[in-house]
């Protein structure tokens, strides 16, 4: 599923590469949650004035990735534990609906590709790779739903969660449990049973939410 960026800009500007670079660094976790984003430093690094830097930061603010604080400037947005769990709730609603729409549109090559991906997931020990495969599997589940607006909302949510939060979800979730539930979801899709697939997906995300909550409590 290709990422959909909420961007009203139709013409390129000096702020575009700054925006793209900062966004990539935030989503990858290279710029950590809560980190100050000093306009003078960014402008100097890019050899520009502060005007395009401010433009880039405002665009990231609209996307929920950056916040401005009075007398402090911009910083990478920090999601509280409560906000993370609320985002997972939103994920539950959006993704269950997408899967419900997608199952009837799945073809043999879709199902075969997902089965191959799960085989790779079972043999992967690297957390970052497991996280990437998990995200790819879910994207492939929803792609056939034929609803670009819904897929766009799911992409927006994934961007808000960010790579560092997706890694947290992967670390918090038990691999054996995740593998078993992914197989349940895919088996229901292979049987053309949308209701069962959605039921398994709902259980999967709800269990993930509980594990993430427990993981964050232990991390205090």
């Amino acid at each position: 599923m290709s990422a959909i960026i909420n961007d009203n800009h139709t013409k390129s500007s000096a702020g575009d590469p700054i925006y793209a670079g900062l966004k990539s660094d935030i989503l990858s976790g290279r710029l950590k949650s809560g980190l100050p984003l000093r306009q003078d430093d960014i402008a100097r690094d890019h050899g520009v004035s502060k005007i395009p830097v401010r433009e880039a930061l405002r665009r990231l603010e609209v996307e929920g990735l950056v916040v401005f604080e009075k007398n402090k400037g911009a910083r990478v947005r920090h999601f509280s534990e409560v906000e993370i769990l609320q985002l997972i709730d939103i994920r539950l609603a959006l993704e269950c609906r997408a899967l419900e729409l997608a199952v009837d549109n799945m073809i043999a090559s879709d199902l075969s590709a997902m089965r191959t991906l799960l085989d790779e997931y079972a043999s992967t020990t690297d957390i970052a790779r497991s996280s990437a495969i998990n995200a790819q599997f879910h994207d492939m589940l929803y792609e056939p739903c034929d609803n670009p607006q819904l897929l766009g909302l799911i992409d927006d949510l994934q961007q808000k969660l960010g790579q560092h939060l997706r890694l947290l979800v992967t670390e918090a979730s038990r691999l054996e449990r995740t593998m078993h539930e992914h197989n349940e979801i895919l088996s229901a899709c292979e049987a053309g049973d949308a209701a069962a697939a959605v039921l398994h997906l709902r259980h999967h995300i709800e269990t993930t939410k509980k594990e993430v909550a427990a993981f964050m409590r232990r991390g205090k």
Side-chain angles (χ1 to χ4, degrees):
M1 176 168 33
S2 59
I4 297 176
I5 299 174
N6 289 332
D7 185 9
N8 294 324
H9 287 66
T10 56
K11 296 181 180 179
S12 62
S13 73
D16 287 347
I18 301 171
Y19 159 83
L22 289 173
K23 182 170 184 175
S24 175
D25 286 345
I26 291 171
L27 295 180
S28 69
R30 288 189 292 271
L31 291 177
K32 302 299 183 183
S33 172
L35 183 74
L37 299 169
R38 307 193 187 284
Q39 295 185 36
D40 288 337
D41 294 343
I42 298 170
R44 183 177 62 253
D45 291 344
H46 287 268
V48 298
S49 71
K50 289 198 294 185
I51 294 175
V53 174
R54 191 174 302 114
E55 172 197 322
L57 291 173
R58 288 299 181 186
R59 290 169 67 183
L60 293 167
E61 181 188 29
V62 170
E63 295 183 13
L65 298 176
V66 165
V67 294
F68 280 84
E69 296 180 331
K70 188 175 181 179
N71 300 324
K72 292 185 178 180
R75 63 176 175 82
V76 179
R77 178 170 179 181
H78 169 74
F79 286 96
S80 69
E81 293 181 12
V82 170
E83 287 175 316
I84 291 172
L85 297 178
Q86 288 173 344
L87 289 173
I88 295 175
D89 279 336
I90 298 171
R91 175 191 168 193
L92 176 67
L94 295 177
E95 296 186 20
C96 283
R97 179 55 178 161
L99 182 59
E100 182 182 21
L101 296 172
V103 172
D104 285 346
N105 295 331
M106 291 179 182
I107 59 177
S109 59
D110 296 325
L111 299 167
S112 176
M114 284 188 280
R115 182 59 67 187
T116 299
L117 193 64
L118 289 189
D119 289 341
E120 181 184 355
Y121 187 80
S123 62
T124 299
T125 57
D126 179 72
I127 289 179
R129 181 56 186 153
S130 294
S131 178
I133 293 175
N134 180 69
Q136 185 180 356
F137 174 70
H138 282 271
D139 283 351
M140 293 172 71
L141 280 175
Y142 314 136
E143 185 69 36
C145 80
D146 196 27
N147 187 327
Q149 300 265 20
L150 179 55
L151 294 177
L153 290 173
I154 293 171
D155 275 330
D156 288 343
L157 178 61
Q158 290 175 342
Q159 291 192 48
K160 284 184 178 180
L161 283 169
Q163 175 67 13
H164 55 298
L165 293 184
R166 287 195 293 273
L167 285 173
L168 183 154
V169 169
T170 301
E171 290 175 350
S173 303
R174 292 185 298 108
L175 179 62
E176 297 81 4
R177 191 270 300 174
T178 303
M179 287 173 50
H180 174 70
E181 291 172 2
H182 281 171
N183 276 297
E184 286 184 325
I185 296 166
L186 183 54
S187 293
C189 293
E190 289 169 336
D193 191 339
V198 170
L199 184 66
H200 289 310
L201 177 63
R202 178 175 294 277
H203 172 74
H204 173 63
I205 298 176
E206 287 176 342
T207 304
T208 296
K209 178 185 174 183
K210 292 176 182 177
E211 289 187 344
V212 169
F215 183 85
M216 290 189 297
R217 284 197 303 270
R218 291 194 300 271
K220 288 184 176 181

